[in-house]
Amino acid sequence: MSIKLYRRILNNRSEIISDLRKFPDHTSFLHVYAKDIACWSIEIRWDYENDAELMNLIYITRHLQNKGVPNLGLTMPYIPNARFDRVNNYDEVFTLKYFAEVINSLHFDYVNVLDAHSNVSLGLIDRVRQIDVAPLIQKAIDDFSPDVLFMPDEGAHKRYSKMFDLPSTFGIKTRDWRSGEIKDYFLAEQNLVKGKRVLIIDDICSRGGTFYYASKLLRDNGATSTGLYVTHCEENIINGNLLNKEKSGIEQIYTANPLWHRDMTTSVYSPLDEIKVIN
C-alpha cells in the first residue's frame, strides 16, 4: 500500500488503519477505520508508484477534511513529474505545474518532500518543506568510504558539495532534450579523481545512462573504483547496465527511496533505512 495515514502526537506518530482496494471496474473502494478524528492531527504518507494513486490521495484528503480534521499534512518523498520542470517545445505539456496545482488545491497544512529535483518544484508547491537528505547520503559515504564525491552536473554539485567535507567535482554534459541521449561528457577537474575511490551522488535514477557514462568517465580518468548514491530510484534501473558490475564498473548502488516494492536479487543494490521525516 503506497498511501498510509498517521496520527501525529508531538514528535510521535501512530498508523491509522485504512484499507485501499478496488471494485471490479477498477474504481476505488476506500475505508479509514478511525473514530473521533475531528480533533486529530493527521499526516498522509504517499510513497509514489504511479499516477493512479493521485486519485486515492484526493479522495482520502477530502474525506478527512469533511470529517473536520484540524491539521492535515502530506509527506511525499518523491515529487511526481519533477523531471519535467520546464517546457522547451510548443507541444510539451507542463505536467509538473499542473500536478502542483492539484496538490495545492487540497490545501495541506504542509507538504514534506525529499531531495526535490529542482527549485521549480519547491516554488510551485504551497507550504512545502524539505526533508534533510544529508543523513541519508552520509550512510552511503560511511559504507563506501570514498576519497572524492562526484556529481553528474554542476547543478547537483551546487546542491550536495557543501553538505560534506570531502573533495568533490562534477561532470559537464550535453544532452538531446527530446531523446535524452548524452552527446558529450567530460570532467570539470580531471586530476582530482586519479587513484581515488569516487562516490557518485544525485537525486534520481531511471535506467541509469548518466551514471553509466559517469562511472566510465571517472575510471577513464584514473578512479580506482566507483559507487553510486541516488535518493530516488525507479524500477527502470533493472533495464539498464548499472546492476552489472562488469559493464558499469559500479561496485555498490545506494538508494533512500525505491519507487517500487519488490526484492532486488543483486548484491550491488542497497536500499537504505526507511526515510525519517525531520521537521
Side-chain angles (χ1 to χ4, degrees):
M1 187 185 301
S2 60
I3 296 178
K4 294 184 177 181
L5 279 63
Y6 295 91
R7 182 182 182 186
R8 294 184 64 90
I9 305 173
L10 296 177
N11 293 325
N12 298 315
R13 61 180 196 166
S14 58
E15 186 172 351
I16 298 169
I17 298 174
S18 56
D19 187 13
L20 282 67
R21 291 181 287 166
K22 291 183 180 298
F23 285 109
D25 66 352
H26 303 292
T27 54
S28 297
F29 181 47
L30 311 176
H31 293 273
V32 177
Y33 301 103
K35 296 180 180 179
D36 304 321
I37 59 176
C39 59
W40 291 5
S41 292
I42 293 179
E43 179 176 292
I44 300 173
R45 167 71 178 254
W46 180 19
D47 291 307
Y48 176 85
E49 290 183 48
N50 58 69
D51 283 351
E53 298 164 343
L54 180 59
M55 291 307 303
N56 281 347
L57 177 68
I58 294 171
Y59 296 147
I60 290 171
T61 301
R62 292 302 191 210
H63 169 77
L64 295 172
Q65 290 169 337
N66 287 337
K67 292 293 185 181
V69 170
N71 187 281
L72 182 61
L74 172 66
T75 289
M76 177 177 63
Y78 176 69
I79 303 174
N81 305 289
R83 280 200 190 89
F84 214 84
D85 57 4
R86 70 183 78 96
V87 174
N88 288 335
N89 300 287
Y90 80 95
D91 57 335
E92 295 170 347
V93 179
F94 196 178
T95 51
L96 175 60
K97 176 183 177 182
Y98 305 127
F99 171 79
E101 288 178 355
V102 173
I103 295 298
N104 293 341
S105 73
L106 297 175
H107 304 292
F108 292 108
D109 290 283
Y110 60 85
V111 179
N112 289 331
V113 300
L114 177 67
D115 210 359
H117 185 63
S118 73
N119 288 331
V120 176
S121 301
L122 302 177
L124 290 173
I125 298 174
D126 295 340
R127 294 174 291 280
V128 69
R129 310 188 306 194
Q130 287 222 74
I131 301 167
D132 187 5
V133 73
L136 295 166
I137 300 174
Q138 187 63 54
K139 288 183 180 181
I141 291 173
D142 292 343
D143 186 75
F144 192 73
S145 300
D147 305 300
V148 176
L149 304 179
F150 173 84
M151 292 76 183
D153 54 59
E154 190 173 7
H157 189 256
K158 289 179 180 178
R159 282 207 309 274
Y160 301 116
S161 61
K162 295 179 181 179
M163 296 181 184
F164 310 101
D165 293 332
L166 288 168
S168 62
T169 186
F170 59 93
I172 300 173
K173 61 185 173 182
T174 304
R175 183 194 291 274
D176 183 277
W177 171 253
R178 280 192 181 273
S179 69
E181 181 183 356
I182 296 174
K183 300 293 187 181
D184 193 20
Y185 203 27
F186 57 93
L187 271 174
E189 298 171 85
Q190 295 181 347
N191 295 329
L192 190 61
V193 304
K194 187 175 182 179
K196 306 295 185 182
R197 288 176 61 81
V198 183
L199 181 66
I200 305 165
I201 298 175
D202 207 359
D203 64 313
I204 187 166
C205 175
S206 183
R207 190 183 179 99
T210 294
F211 307 121
Y212 176 85
Y213 286 110
S215 177
K216 183 178 185 303
L217 179 68
L218 291 164
R219 287 180 288 114
D220 287 348
N221 282 273
T224 58
S225 55
T226 58
L228 171 65
Y229 166 90
V230 286
T231 302
H232 309 288
C233 187
E234 297 178 8
E235 187 174 13
N236 198 30
I237 190 176
I238 65 176
N239 296 318
N241 293 316
L242 290 190
L243 300 181
N244 187 324
K245 286 185 181 182
E246 292 183 0
K247 289 185 176 180
S248 70
I250 296 177
E251 291 185 7
Q252 194 70 36
I253 300 171
Y254 307 91
T255 186
N257 186 33
L259 295 177
W260 76 95
H261 297 289
R262 60 178 285 172
D263 292 330
M264 298 296 287
T265 58
T266 172
S267 61
V268 182
Y269 181 87
S270 297
L272 300 174
D273 294 339
E274 182 184 358
I275 298 163
K276 301 296 191 299
V277 177
I278 303 173
N279 295 331

